[in-house]
Amino acid sequence: MNSPEPARARISIIGAGPGGLTCARILQQHGIAVTVYDRDRGPDARNQGGTLDLHADNGQIALREAGLLDEFFRLARPEGQEMRRMDPTGTITSHEVPAPDELFKPEIDRGQLRNLLLDSLQPGTVQWGRAIDTIGGPDDGPRQLHFTDGTTIHTDLVIGADGASSRVRPAVSPAVPEYTGVSVLEAWFSDVENRHPDLAELVGQGSAHAADGERGLFAQRNSGDHIRVYIIQRVPVDWISASGLTVEDTDGIRALLLGEYAHWSPRMRRMITENDGPYVNRPIFALPVPHTWEHNPTVTLLGDAAHLMPPLGVGVNLAMLDAGEIALALANAATVADAIRAYERTMLPRSTETAKALEGGAEHLLSAEVPDFGSNNGAQC
């Protein structure tokens, strides 16, 4: 089969996260039809995770191409760029405060960003409750998308924007994410100025991090007077069940954590003892480095589906940059196959270079000199 012109192609994006929605928005800006399929039953089916910092040299580039940069700045929190590093006693060892006009990487809640992108799309672009089971059809197309509800559709291009556990990835690559040896528990705190004033003062307007080499705490302001704390440990992936607990056993997990953090100051341990509700378990996985695949004219990947890395401030930014580059390649190429080849020619070397730089980087989350942590935390599609 000859590869179709992008304007005449049936284009399917799997995953309504920031990457998939950014790609859909830019395609529609160029008059190219697209459908996004997502396994969630609706946009509010689950919590979207914490706050993201969108960088001027990647995430913001994609938003500018999408025509949404001004709206992003109206929602973003430049003050969220503040970063405090502490020792386990809570003593500040370094403190970065953004200038009043600093906009290199302002923060935005993941849910706010998703809503911004969703609201920019043509009605009916996203089909909710459509979980992919398998992808069939010949490499040169058309492809068959088999959904778990028993339905099947035919499409000329599948763009996998479905995150770490991508169901699209097996169509081009046998690689599977591997556990890094570091795991995170997410804890939520609400109405912090009234109910958790000491934590609010400790964290400030942005983020605060402390670590002792084996474990760490990373606290981050969200909008709406919320703070999320990420409890970081070097543990087996099954450490909760191996302790005879489930993730719903908040008291049991808390007792274990208090033992692990016994030498930390009482003020710092409040991040473990005073959270509102249960913990969320987020073991850190990463794809092998390098992760590449042979060009396929009908299937490609972006974001975590293509290059899952430790959460060190690049995940969502790279996903959105990927998304913009796929969309622009499709807008400017004679055929879908030409567009995908051009996109992968840029994306694969870039992601390989970044992944090599971050390989083993989950260990940095346990170091007092940890880089930015937050742009990919909780990222799911």
Side-chain angles (χ1 to χ4, degrees):
M1 172 181 170
N2 293 327
S3 183
E5 300 175 24
R8 299 177 180 273
R10 296 163 293 183
I11 299 175
S12 302
I13 296 173
I14 312 303
L21 296 177
T22 298
C23 187
R25 164 67 178 183
I26 298 174
L27 285 172
Q28 290 183 350
Q29 289 284 89
H30 288 270
I32 298 175
V34 61
T35 303
V36 180
Y37 300 94
D38 194 275
R39 69 175 182 262
D40 284 349
R41 293 190 176 276
D44 302 318
R46 58 188 170 89
N47 189 285
Q48 290 303 299
T51 184
L52 310 166
D53 54 341
L54 290 192
H55 299 186
D57 54 0
N58 37 49
Q60 291 182 37
I61 291 174
L63 284 179
R64 182 181 296 108
E65 196 63 46
L68 299 173
L69 191 59
D70 288 343
E71 292 181 58
F72 162 71
F73 283 131
R74 283 194 285 271
L75 294 169
R77 293 176 285 107
E79 68 277 9
Q81 297 170 101
E82 178 186 1
M83 179 67 192
R84 300 178 180 186
R85 290 184 173 85
M86 305 175 180
D87 63 21
T89 71
T91 300
I92 295 176
T93 58
S94 69
H95 190 185
E96 302 168 14
V97 180
D101 59 348
E102 174 60 63
L103 294 175
F104 180 74
K105 51 177 183 176
E107 298 281 341
I108 185 171
D109 281 15
R110 186 180 178 86
Q112 291 177 316
L113 176 63
R114 193 192 205 197
N115 289 337
L116 171 64
L117 290 163
L118 281 171
D119 291 345
S120 75
L121 297 176
Q122 297 169 10
T125 299
V126 180
Q127 293 194 14
W128 299 103
R130 304 298 301 278
I132 286 288
D133 184 17
T134 59
I135 298 174
D139 283 354
D140 61 351
R143 289 291 191 161
Q144 299 155 9
L145 298 182
H146 301 286
F147 295 92
T148 57
D149 62 6
T151 61
T152 299
I153 68 158
H154 291 82
T155 188
D156 299 307
L157 174 62
V158 184
I159 300 174
D162 51 342
S165 301
S166 173
R167 300 306 296 267
V168 178
R169 190 189 298 123
V172 294
S173 168
V176 295
E178 300 171 353
Y179 181 53
T180 63
V182 177
S183 195
V184 173
L185 281 181
E186 181 178 319
W188 302 348
F189 299 78
S190 302
D191 190 20
V192 294
E193 295 295 342
N194 293 316
R195 300 184 62 245
H196 306 282
D198 190 57
L199 178 61
E201 191 279 329
L202 187 71
V203 174
Q205 294 303 306
S207 303
H209 172 262
D212 63 10
E214 291 293 324
R215 60 198 65 78
L217 294 173
F218 185 92
Q220 193 171 55
R221 281 272 184 175
N222 290 205
S223 65
D225 205 24
H226 297 284
I227 286 176
R228 290 177 190 248
V229 171
Y230 303 99
I231 304 162
I232 311 160
Q233 301 178 91
R234 185 185 292 109
V235 288
V237 68
D238 62 346
W239 70 278
I240 294 177
S241 60
S243 300
L245 303 170
T246 67
V247 73
E248 292 80 18
D249 190 348
T250 303
D251 290 340
I253 292 174
R254 184 175 287 146
L256 281 180
L257 293 173
L258 286 175
E260 291 296 320
Y261 288 79
H263 63 289
W264 289 50
S265 71
R267 189 184 193 197
M268 297 294 281
R269 290 201 303 271
R270 289 181 183 177
M271 297 189 199
I272 296 170
T273 61
E274 295 185 0
N275 50 304
D276 302 321
Y279 302 102
V280 180
N281 188 33
R282 299 196 186 281
I284 298 174
F285 286 80
L287 280 166
V289 182
H291 178 232
T292 62
W293 56 88
E294 293 296 322
H295 167 74
N296 187 302
T298 55
V299 181
T300 194
L301 307 172
L302 67 79
D304 285 351
H307 43 68
L308 179 67
M309 305 175 199
L312 294 168
V314 299
V316 167
N317 283 284
L318 286 185
M320 294 175 69
L321 185 62
D322 292 349
E325 290 180 350
I326 292 178
L328 291 177
L330 287 163
N332 292 296
T335 69
V336 167
D338 289 343
I340 298 311
R341 192 180 298 278
Y343 158 67
E344 292 175 350
R345 192 179 297 124
T346 298
M347 182 276 290
L348 288 172
R350 178 182 63 226
S351 64
T352 296
E353 180 182 4
T354 305
K356 286 180 177 178
L358 297 183
E359 191 171 13
E363 289 290 325
H364 292 310
L365 302 174
L366 305 172
S367 166
E369 301 302 321
V370 65
D372 228 355
F373 174 50
S375 284
N376 195 32
N377 197 63
Q380 300 175 24
C381 296

